[in-house]
Structure formats: structure tokens, C-alpha cells
Amino acid sequence: MIKNLTVSVLTTALLLPLTTLAGEKEEALIQQVTDAYGGDAIRNLTSYIISKKMLAPSTGQSRTPQLVNLARTNLHLSVDIENGKARSDSLFASRGGDFQGATVSDGEEGWTINYRANTYGAAQNADVYAFAGGSMRTNDAILAYELYKARDKAKLVGEADYLNRPHEMVEVPFPLSPDITLYIDKESHFISKMIRTNPQLGQLDYVFSNMTEADGIKYAAQTDFFVAGVANLVSLTNRTRFNTDIPDHEFELPEGMEEEAARIDTSEMKANRLSEDVYHVGQGNGFTLFVNSPEGLIAVGGYPGLKDRLSLFRSESGNYQPLKYQIITHHHQDHLGGINEAIDLGATLVTVDDNVEPIRDFVANATDADFLRVNKRITFGEGRNRVEIYDVATIHAAHFLVTYVPSQKLIFIADHLNSPYESGVPTANLNTTTMYEALQALDLDIRKIAIAHGARVFKMKEMQASVEAYSPLVCMADRLVCE
Ligand SMILES: [Zn+2]
């Protein structure tokens, strides 16, 4: 007993100076890292501009599960650290069309700009780390700057081999993010890699290579981003400027834009009763249509939280029948998040033959699930309360199941028509126009459209007006993000 105590006292005594040494080790390493990146130029950074073009493989979001589509995204981020001002411009080009947006913060107020709609609204969070933290994390020089800022909290957590080179691993806080772990090359002291964990998505890897220099600061010209090991953003070009003057008008709201209309509040779950047998239930961006058909209860819309929406449907409608069918609108992974819940509830999954294997691959409990395969069209029940399902092809998905409820002259769709606003004509893209063409070809009497991503039930006339107003986006010539 006494012997053990002595050992433990000795160990503690030995560990104490080591702990202090460790803090010094971190300080020395951070000095070496910031020296490698540019010395005082990076330690006393006052401003920076990141301009990059990336490829974005739409894993789990392609038109067919068999071939990944590549979208392109351009980013232009200006940050005036000294004055607390920032602006992030983005241009996203996918098969659905182009979208140009920006978030601007003058240090006090923040706005989001929608160039296609020519509107602006208050930014959800005007803090630059809230709207541009993701872009900052894809730049190793900015990570070196943030490491220096948080040097008192940095912790050496081990050593690792990366690309056959020895690395130190340093864990450090990053504003409005889970802690990040930097892989620092023991010889060059550049950051080769950063990892962090997203509670929903798993491990995120940021990989830096091809060092270059601007304004006396080194940075990686190639920066790639992976989600759970799968390439999510691959940089094509990456130019960064440091400590340059950014004109003040960069951080002002552009003239000639209209303030956006009132937004629909979807923060609480609500049940919208369309008839005794038809309810649109949801919250945030996950909504389900419940239809009491002659062949049993049908749910359409597979976002996570299906059981909660079913509970609300049951208490509001008094209909406690088991869920008989779950219509899977399309194979995109965000729309499969609630399918395990549908399987738990004993529902038969309704999809097309092509999507059965991709669903089995992605949905954990789907191996032994019951599938009903739609060949072009299927009808549940007869008469007024029947429900019809049509397989259509749009630019968004090669197989998309449109649910038609004749008693309501209502369809349910996802990802082809949306608006966060209470009123006004929704802005169309190629998803909208190709879905509209597909609906016209079905020759149904459609008056209303319920969707998976919002509470608003649109009139068919609003979809028509949206499609008529469609024109391809022309990038604003004065914005550098368009170059
Ligand atoms: Zn989709």
C-alpha cells in the first residue's frame, strides 16, 4: 500500500514539470507554423480575400444513383478583420440551373442577397464565422492564423504519419465549430490536413497541397474537402490575397434590390388539414403528406422525424390506423432519412425498380423491407378517395414519384418548387420547368401542390406563373465571383 503511494507521488511529481513543458512545446510549434506561413504577416493579419472555384460531386443527389453528377461552385470571400466586416459571394451551377447569392456584414448588421429574385433579407446570423466559417476552414493560412489566435487553448494530441511524412496533431478551438485537429508537417511546419467531426455527417477531412505564395504569406493552392471519406468539394483554382485594402462599398447592401416578403415560420411542427382524409404535416424543411386511402394509410415524404409527424397526424385526425405505404419520392439521400422509421412502423416502401438497390444500400434496416415497385403508374383504391402515383423523369431525378390525390386535385412533390415566403410567385429553376412539363404530359386536373420542404401549399397557377417567369441566371457582371 505504502509502496504504491510512493510510486504514485513520484509519478505525479514527474508529470508536473512535463505538463508545463507540453504547453511550451505547443507554443514553440505554433511559432514555427506561423513563421512557415509568413511570420508577423500572418500573426497580425488585418484582411484577406479568398477566391476559388470548385467541383462539387453530388453524391447521393445525382439524377440517377448510377452516375454522380458534378456541380460547380465559385466562392469569393472578403474579410476585413480590423473593422469586423465581411462579405461572402457564391455562384452554384448544377443541372438544376445557376444560383448566385451573397451574405454581407458591415460589422453591425448582416444581409443575405438572392440575385435571381433581386431581393435581400436580414441574415440569420451576421457573425462572419456563422456565414463564412466553412470557407475559412478550407484555407490553411487562415487556419494557421486561427491557431495563433487560439494558441493558449491549443493541445498537442499525438503524432501521425500522413503521406509518409511525420506530423504533429494539434487540437484547437475554432469559432462556432466543434474543435478542429490540425496535422502539422514536422519538417515544413505547413498544415497538411485538418479534421473535425460533424455530429450528423461524421468525419470531415480538409486536405491541403501545392503550396504557393501571395503578399508574403504561403498557402495551399489545392484544398479538397471530404465528408465521411467521400470527395465533396475539389478545388480547381484557389487564389488568396492577404493584408490588402478592401473598399468599404464591398460591405454595403447593393442598390436597387427589394426587401424580401415575410417568411413562413416553420419552427414548430404543424398539421395542415386539407380534408378529413388528407393532412400536410411537418416542421423546418421536412414535411409529409398523409392520405387515408381506401387501401390504408399512405405517407409521402421521407425526411427524418416521420414518427413525430405521424403522431401529430394521429392526434389531430383521430385516425390511428397503421401506416400501410410509404411513398419514396426519389432516391436522394436526404429524402431517405426517415425511411428506417417507416420500416419500423411496418410500412411497405413504394419506389421504382431502379431505386430498390440504392435504397437498400443507404437505409440501414431496408434489407428485409417490403418493396412495392411502381411501373409508370399505380393506383391505391377506387373512387373519389383513391391515390394515384406517377413515375416521371425530370432534370432533378430520372425517376420521381408524383403523388396525386384526385379528391383534392392535389399533388405532392419535393425539390422542384419552393419558396420560403408566405406569398408571391416562387422563383423557378430547371427542376421547376422540367417538372411542370412532366405534369402537363400527365394531363391531370391539378389545382394544388404540397411539398416536402415547406409548409406552403401552392396553387397550380403559381407554379405556372413561376415557370412563365423563368429565365436562366446571368451572373452579375460586377461581382468577382462571376469571373
Ligand atoms: Zn432531390
Side-chain angles (χ1 to χ4, degrees):
M1 210 41 199
I2 288 170
K3 213 174 171 186
N4 278 348
L5 191 70
T6 320
V7 170
S8 116
V9 166
L10 271 176
T11 319
T12 315
L14 278 172
L15 277 175
L16 275 174
L18 275 177
T19 317
T20 326
L21 267 179
E24 283 168 15
K25 246 180 124 180
E26 273 110 3
E27 210 182 302
L29 181 65
I30 292 167
Q31 186 72 21
Q32 286 171 317
V33 171
T34 46
D35 280 347
Y37 275 96
D40 285 343
I42 196 76
R43 288 190 283 264
N44 304 327
L45 192 66
T46 58
S47 69
Y48 60 91
I49 300 168
I50 298 172
S51 191
K52 62 195 292 187
K53 294 187 201 308
M54 293 158 282
L55 270 186
S58 23
T59 311
Q61 298 290 338
S62 288
R63 187 169 185 269
T64 70
Q66 289 78 29
L67 182 66
V68 172
N69 292 128
L70 296 175
R72 280 164 181 271
T73 173
N74 294 1
L75 172 92
H76 190 84
L77 172 67
S78 311
V79 181
D80 179 345
I81 299 170
E82 258 187 327
N83 299 300
K85 300 177 181 193
R87 174 178 181 124
S88 174
D89 280 85
S90 64
L91 178 68
F92 183 73
S94 71
R95 65 189 187 282
D98 295 354
F99 181 83
Q100 187 185 3
T103 304
V104 184
S105 170
D106 69 1
E108 282 163 21
E109 256 188 292
W111 307 276
T112 55
I113 298 166
N114 178 344
Y115 280 96
R116 191 188 271 284
N118 199 45
T119 57
Y120 71 88
Q124 278 191 333
N125 189 337
D127 185 333
V128 61
Y129 288 96
F131 67 82
S135 308
M136 293 178 197
R137 287 188 288 268
T138 63
N139 190 294
D140 57 331
I142 302 308
L143 291 178
Y145 166 70
E146 293 291 341
L147 171 67
Y148 180 72
K149 268 174 55 187
R151 59 192 178 281
D152 294 346
K153 297 187 186 87
K155 275 192 308 233
L156 273 165
V157 290
E159 295 182 358
D161 168 87
Y162 176 69
L163 296 180
N164 279 57
R165 290 175 70 85
H167 283 71
E168 297 275 13
M169 292 159 71
V170 179
E171 198 179 273
V172 67
F174 190 96
L176 304 185
S177 156
D179 287 359
I180 61 175
T181 303
L182 302 170
Y183 286 65
I184 295 164
D185 190 302
K186 277 191 175 183
E187 203 179 308
S188 70
H189 301 117
F190 290 132
I191 300 163
S192 303
K193 190 169 94 150
M194 182 271 274
I195 58 169
R196 62 194 272 268
T197 305
N198 177 294
Q200 279 85 45
L201 304 172
Q203 183 169 309
L204 311 178
D205 283 62
Y206 301 68
V207 174
F208 305 104
S209 58
N210 194 9
M211 297 305 289
T212 185
E213 185 174 348
D215 309 307
I217 291 177
K218 305 267 198 337
Y219 68 98
Q222 182 78 30
T223 73
D224 302 318
F225 172 61
F226 300 80
V227 175
V230 178
N232 188 274
L233 287 171
V234 178
S235 80
L236 299 172
T237 62
N238 176 28
R239 282 180 292 126
T240 312
R241 298 296 311 271
F242 303 92
N243 297 320
T244 60
D245 279 339
I246 306 170
D248 247 3
H249 64 76
E250 256 314 90
F251 308 110
E252 287 161 11
L253 193 61
E255 279 172 29
M257 296 223 144
E258 278 178 50
E259 188 167 3
E260 63 180 29
R263 284 178 180 256
I264 302 167
D265 180 8
T266 58
S267 56
E268 274 174 42
M269 198 190 295
K270 286 198 183 98
N272 181 8
R273 181 189 190 273
L274 301 169
S275 82
E276 192 186 334
D277 294 313
V278 184
Y279 281 71
H280 187 225
V281 184
Q283 178 179 21
N285 67 347
F287 284 74
T288 292
L289 187 75
F290 292 101
V291 189
N292 182 29
S293 86
E295 285 191 34
L297 184 63
I298 297 175
V300 204
Y303 253 61
L306 182 70
K307 284 179 179 172
D308 293 340
R309 296 193 289 276
L310 179 63
S311 294
L312 187 62
F313 163 76
R314 284 175 168 164
S315 60
E316 293 278 316
S317 67
N319 182 339
Y320 286 83
Q321 285 183 71
L323 182 63
K324 186 82 185 286
Y325 295 106
Q326 170 71 42
I327 316 296
I328 299 180
T329 56
H330 61 314
H331 64 282
H332 288 173
Q333 287 173 357
D334 55 328
H335 293 270
L336 300 179
I339 300 306
N340 271 325
E341 297 172 63
I343 296 167
D344 283 353
L345 291 160
T348 295
L349 308 179
V350 180
T351 183
V352 295
D353 196 41
D354 276 12
N355 289 347
V356 170
E357 280 318 308
I359 291 166
R360 281 198 175 128
D361 284 347
F362 185 73
V363 177
N365 302 336
T367 319
D368 302 319
D370 291 326
F371 283 92
L372 178 63
R373 295 158 205 244
V374 177
N375 182 11
K376 292 196 178 105
R377 173 188 170 166
I378 198 166
T379 303
F380 295 100
E382 287 171 23
R384 201 183 125 75
N385 283 330
R386 73 189 186 280
V387 174
E388 300 173 0
I389 312 291
Y390 294 89
D391 176 16
V392 302
T394 71
I395 200 153
H396 188 72
H399 290 283
F400 189 96
L401 295 184
V402 173
T403 300
Y404 179 53
V405 184
S407 65
Q408 295 299 306
K409 299 184 165 70
L410 168 88
I411 58 164
F412 181 92
I413 56 173
D415 298 349
H416 291 79
L417 176 74
N418 203 354
S419 165
Y421 309 119
E422 286 170 3
S423 60
V425 173
T427 310
N429 54 36
L430 288 174
N431 296 335
T432 325
T433 61
T434 56
M435 175 58 83
Y436 187 74
E437 281 166 25
L439 294 175
Q440 294 298 106
L442 294 178
D443 200 21
L444 303 168
D445 185 5
I446 303 166
R447 304 284 170 88
K448 289 182 286 186
I449 303 160
I451 61 168
H453 288 313
R456 183 165 158 189
V457 176
F458 296 90
K459 296 186 182 82
M460 189 59 176
K461 280 188 174 149
E462 289 172 323
M463 186 177 192
Q464 189 185 343
S466 166
V467 169
E468 280 166 6
Y470 169 76
S471 66
L473 176 92
V474 177
C475 203
M476 300 298 127
D478 65 322
R479 297 308 315 165
L480 289 163
V481 76
C482 301
E483 275 181 2

